[in-house]
Amino acid sequence: VQKGKELGINVEPEVSKYLAELQLQSKLVEPEKFQAYVREQTGMPFEDFKSDVRNNMLTQRVVRQEVGRLITIPRAELEKYYNEHKAEFVREDRVFLRQILVSTEGKDAAGIAAAEKKARSLSDRARKGEKFHELAKQHSDDAATKDNYGELGGFKRGELNKQVEDVVFDQERGFVTDPIRVTAGFIILKVEEKHKAG
């Protein structure tokens, strides 16, 4: 960890992405509930868990950078390994998403209606060509992903909430959803990338 700091290695984007993926898998949109879930699962305060994740990622990056670059493996060995482990290199269907959350926390009926109107407007703007990642940075109410331009990472079938999976999984890259009602408000998703099995 100390060496990583000396080298000025920044893993914050990876930490944010990892936590965002974890939050989506937990199906807990509200930050407080997600943090309580992490406390329950790990037995440590959320900030300590986040610090552990950061230190582990920093350690891995230092090992890759400082040790990995010194290792060279002959091509024949690589091919032999690949041929003996082909099943491990089969890629599953995966969809990569960004999101914008328009929160309805603590809002009355009029506030919820205004939030839905705002969400529809953001969805329309994204479909008309405005950059989704910039809209997420400026307008999303999701603290876990906002600073990472709404990036959620990649998901295999079965890892997403069924309601969300049904909407996004078979769409092509660039697809933007209508607002989807969730507990915390309205989410708009963009299919950032699509990997087909193979």
Side-chain angles (χ1 to χ4, degrees):
V1 171
Q2 187 59 42
K3 183 69 173 172
K5 289 175 181 171
E6 287 168 16
L7 293 167
I9 294 172
N10 177 24
V11 293
E12 287 309 314
E14 290 97 320
V15 172
S16 296
K17 183 176 172 183
Y18 173 77
L19 292 173
E21 287 175 5
L22 202 61
Q23 185 172 359
L24 198 67
Q25 286 168 21
S26 74
K27 301 176 176 61
L28 297 169
V29 182
E30 298 94 329
E32 297 78 15
K33 286 186 180 175
F34 172 63
Q35 290 178 17
Y37 167 79
V38 167
R39 245 189 337 270
E40 253 174 53
Q41 296 297 312
T42 63
M44 63 173 80
F46 179 75
E47 285 306 318
D48 290 356
F49 173 72
K50 188 175 176 181
S51 179
D52 273 8
V53 169
R54 183 184 297 112
N55 289 343
N56 286 335
M57 287 185 173
L58 198 52
T59 302
Q60 288 168 18
R61 183 85 74 82
V62 170
V63 170
R64 277 201 309 273
Q65 191 171 310
E66 298 300 296
V67 180
R69 66 189 172 91
L70 304 175
I71 299 169
T72 52
I73 302 167
R75 185 172 178 80
E77 272 189 53
L78 289 173
E79 286 180 1
K80 180 175 182 287
Y81 182 87
Y82 169 74
N83 287 324
E84 289 170 356
H85 299 83
K86 275 187 179 175
E88 294 172 25
F89 293 92
V90 175
R91 186 171 69 186
E92 295 182 57
D93 270 346
R94 197 180 287 263
V95 65
F96 293 78
L97 302 171
R98 284 186 195 271
Q99 83 161 0
I100 298 169
L101 168 70
V102 180
S103 175
T104 56
E105 289 291 299
K107 293 182 178 170
D108 59 12
I112 291 169
E116 184 174 11
K117 186 177 176 186
K118 178 182 176 183
R120 289 198 179 285
S121 166
L122 289 168
S123 177
D124 289 343
R125 287 168 65 183
R127 286 172 172 164
K128 286 174 183 166
E130 285 193 53
K131 292 179 178 167
F132 192 94
H133 65 277
E134 288 178 3
L135 290 172
K137 176 79 171 168
Q138 291 166 21
H139 300 286
S140 183
D141 296 323
D142 184 10
T145 61
K146 180 175 181 159
D147 290 341
N148 213 27
Y149 298 91
E151 190 174 342
L152 294 173
F155 300 90
K156 295 184 283 191
R157 282 191 189 274
E159 289 184 338
L160 287 165
N161 175 305
K162 185 80 168 65
Q163 177 192 11
V164 171
E165 184 172 290
D166 288 346
V167 174
V168 299
F169 219 94
D170 293 319
Q171 300 297 337
E172 293 304 312
R173 180 180 177 184
F175 173 80
V176 175
T177 69
D178 287 328
I180 301 167
R181 186 71 163 103
V182 293
T183 311
F186 296 92
I187 56 170
I188 306 139
L189 298 168
K190 179 189 177 192
V191 176
E192 193 68 20
E193 188 59 76
K194 191 77 191 297
H195 287 174
K196 291 196 163 59

